[in-house]
Amino acid sequence: NAGVTQTPKFRVLKTGQSMTLLCAQDMNHEYMYWYRQDPGMGLRLIHYSVGEGTTAKGEVPDGYNVSRLKKQNFLLGLESAAPSQTSVYFCASSYDNSLNTEAFFGQGTRLTVV
Amino acid sequence: GDSVTQMEGPVTLSEEAFLTINCTYTATGYPSLFWYVQYPGEGLQLLLKATKADDKGSNKGFEATYRKETTSFHLEKGSVQVSDSAVYFCALRKWSSNTGKLIFGQGTTLQVKP
């Protein structure tokens, strides 16, 4: 019972490098989200998707792109990494957008940009 | 805009002590309220939730009551254990723009000493 799986778990990038974070869920959820977690700031929404082939911007989308080509996968891309993008990234998914639906989270990706 | 405010941590308690973590929110309409817990090195897990005023969510000895008059959802536990050491996040969800997104507080770190 995998749930939400993120890869990689850790990564160190040099400024200007690019990378893609992969999120995979096996629960047939429609909604998927990418958050970043920074000390003292909780989790902030980067991008989200309400179904296969759809994406939308969250609170802090600058410097990131996303794609949802398959329902089970949600990719987060950094085209040119900056030190300000050093953070822990969490992917989440939920079955629908009703008020009491639980969101399931991956274990996180710790990214350091030097 | 909508927001969630939690008491600052870290909170340090001895085993079997009483726990309260304060959470207040600002939101229009009628949000659902959640507490998520993040154990060291793991992703977030739903701890409990409440979907309307005066509802009480409970799980694993933790409780929180949705107080609309004070816009609060304080987390309580009568007797904490070392295994409760974690970061606790209060969050809300609204029926807004069809996103189902969660808005998080900044998180409160709980340390329980034997």
Side-chain angles (χ1 to χ4, degrees), chain A:
Chain A
N1 208 7
V4 179
T5 303
Q6 291 182 232
T7 52
K9 289 185 171 48
F10 303 94
R11 184 74 185 268
V12 178
L13 283 181
K14 294 182 179 179
T15 297
Q17 287 185 319
S18 64
M19 77 164 294
T20 300
L21 283 67
L22 171 63
C23 176
Q25 52 94 4
D26 62 0
M27 297 172 283
N28 201 35
H29 286 173
E30 290 291 340
Y31 291 73
M32 297 187 74
Y33 308 86
W34 276 107
Y35 291 89
R36 59 177 288 172
Q37 182 185 25
D38 301 294
M41 303 186 75
L43 279 75
R44 293 179 292 168
L45 184 65
I46 305 171
H47 286 280
Y48 64 97
S49 167
V50 300
E52 181 179 308
T54 75
T55 63
K57 294 180 180 180
E59 301 173 62
V60 289
D62 294 343
Y64 305 95
N65 56 75
V66 287
S67 64
R68 182 108 182 263
L69 298 179
K70 294 183 179 181
K71 186 176 183 178
Q72 63 268 32
N73 296 337
F74 195 30
L75 279 63
L76 178 71
L78 287 73
E79 290 186 346
S80 180
S84 61
Q85 294 177 303
T86 294
S87 187
V88 181
Y89 292 85
F90 286 100
C91 177
S93 71
S94 62
Y95 179 73
D96 59 24
N97 65 340
S98 64
L99 288 179
N100 63 352
T101 294
E102 179 179 354
F104 292 83
F105 285 79
Q107 290 192 309
T109 297
R110 184 173 294 276
L111 175 65
T112 303
V113 182
V114 298

Side-chain angles (χ1 to χ4, degrees), chain B residues 19 22 24 26 31 33-35 46 51 54 65-66 74-75 81 93 98-99:
Chain B
L19 168 70
N22 290 337
T24 57
T26 301
L33 300 174
F34 303 81
W35 277 102
L46 179 65
T51 58
D54 299 325
T65 301
Y66 188 162
H74 304 321
L75 183 68
Q81 305 300 313
R93 172 185 278 144
N98 221 29
T99 67

Side-chain angles (χ1 to χ4, degrees), chain B residues 5 36 61 65 71:
Chain B
T5 302
Y36 278 83
T65 301
T71 62

